[in-house]
Amino acid sequence: MGTILDGVAIATAIKQEVAEDVKALAARGVRPGLAAVLVGNVPASEIYVRSKVNTCAELGLYSDLITPPADVTTEAMLELVAQLNGRDDIDGILIQLPLPKQVDTKALLNAVDPDKDVDGFHPVNAGRLQAGWPALAPCTPAGVMEILKRSGIPVSGQHAVVVGRSDIVGKPAAMLLLHKNATVTICHSKTRDLEAITSDADILVAAIGRAGFITPAMVKPGATLIDVGINRITTREEFDRFFKGDLRREETFAKRGSTIVGDIDPHAFEVAGAYTPVPGGVGPLTIAMLMANTVRAAKMRRGL
Ligand SMILES: NC(=O)c1ccc[n+]([C@@H]2O[C@H](COP(=O)([O-])OP(=O)(O)OC[C@H]3O[C@@H](n4cnc5c(N)ncnc54)[C@H](OP(=O)(O)O)[C@@H]3O)[C@@H](O)[C@H]2O)c1
């Protein structure tokens, strides 16, 4: 079994550093603030946003939870974003996705002031990231880099293979790895002979959205496996495929009728040099990096 890369411990360390930063800023009369916009009543979104707002309170950041109704229009949302762009007490604007169908998500994300875009989704930030300029990077890939750095995993000169090319995970992860001098290959659903590529990876990042998609045969022994995927499985067949004999999982599965698996088949962790578990790997970093980005935005906006 490879070494576990403990995302909870790394996220805790980052949050402590953020809290210290917030204290230092308070001494200068600055309190970083996050506006969290939660539209309608999507249960998963409510849970995510609540934990983001709670983490702000825990670390001493100001937060404002704004909850437009599910039938809100694009125009009303654009007006809200314009107000938040203009507010001096708000350094970061988070619009929880997905939005209802009638709202033009792209138009909205493009309307966020890039300097307050703590999710790093604005094309200006994507451009800054590509150009290697100071940028607010998307939280999940930024978290992946923190895991590698803080675990002492070498990146320079390594072959990093990223499976997935979404704007929020795959592409920015590839760009961040490239900036740290990895030799990067990006794979996607049209990639030919995926296994030949993944099994040459020193660092394999899976951001696919398919339960246990990366099998042991697709992994080079000793590789570092970073599993971004979060997939809920509910059938006994799937459970047995990934977790047969795992008594702790069995307990959760019996209690909740489901469990979470990443995009990497957990059996592949047996051949890895190091790996992020699911849950408890990349997931906890996302909120920690959102907090770090908000403090960074507060500093950048004030030239601190
Ligand atoms: N830990 C966290 O905090 C966090 C944050 C965000 C996302 N996630 C999780 O990460 C996963 C990926 O998220 P996402 O938003 O990046 O997903 P996404 O937008 O659906 O992108 C999935 C990517 O996987 C590729 N893909 C799909 N099937 C494939 C196949 N058979 N072979 C090779 N590539 C394939 C797709 O290729 P094409 O482009 O060709 O379609 C696409 O680029 C999901 O499980 C999500 O829940 C976790």
Side-chain angles (χ1 to χ4, degrees), residues 48 139-141 163-170 187-191 194 206-211 213 227-231 261-263 281-287:
Y48 288 139
C139 300
T140 302
V163 188
R165 56 173 165 180
S166 70
D167 290 337
I168 61 172
V169 188
C187 301
H188 47 77
S189 66
K190 307 290 185 291
T191 297
L194 184 62
I208 309 159
R210 295 183 62 175
F213 181 80
D227 194 349
V228 181
I230 305 175
N231 310 287
V261 67
D263 289 342
V282 176
L285 267 298
T286 300
I287 290 188

Side-chain angles (χ1 to χ4, degrees), residues 13 22 41 44 50 57 80 86 107 120 123 136 140 156 166 173-174 187-188 197 219 243 246-247 257 262 266 268 276:
V22 169
N41 308 90
R50 202 175 317 127
L80 172 63
L136 293 164
T140 302
S156 181
S166 70
C187 301
H188 47 77
I197 300 168
V219 170
F243 301 115
D246 182 336
L247 297 178
T276 58

Side-chain angles (χ1 to χ4, degrees), residues 6 19 21 25 30 35 38-39 41 54 59 62 65 74 98 114 124 131 138 142 182 216-217 224 238 279 294 298 303:
D6 184 347
D21 253 10
L25 284 171
V30 176
L38 171 66
V39 180
N41 308 90
N54 289 344
L59 306 186
Y62 166 73
L65 174 62
T74 301
V124 165
T224 297
E238 281 174 310
T294 304

Side-chain angles (χ1 to χ4, degrees), residues 154-194:
V155 175
S156 181
Q158 301 293 298
H159 186 198
V161 173
V162 181
V163 188
R165 56 173 165 180
S166 70
D167 290 337
I168 61 172
V169 188
K171 275 186 214 160
M175 202 48 70
L176 289 165
L177 286 160
L178 181 63
H179 287 319
K180 291 292 172 201
N181 300 318
T183 302
V184 181
T185 306
I186 306 174
C187 301
H188 47 77
S189 66
K190 307 290 185 291
T191 297
R192 259 188 295 129
D193 202 358
L194 184 62

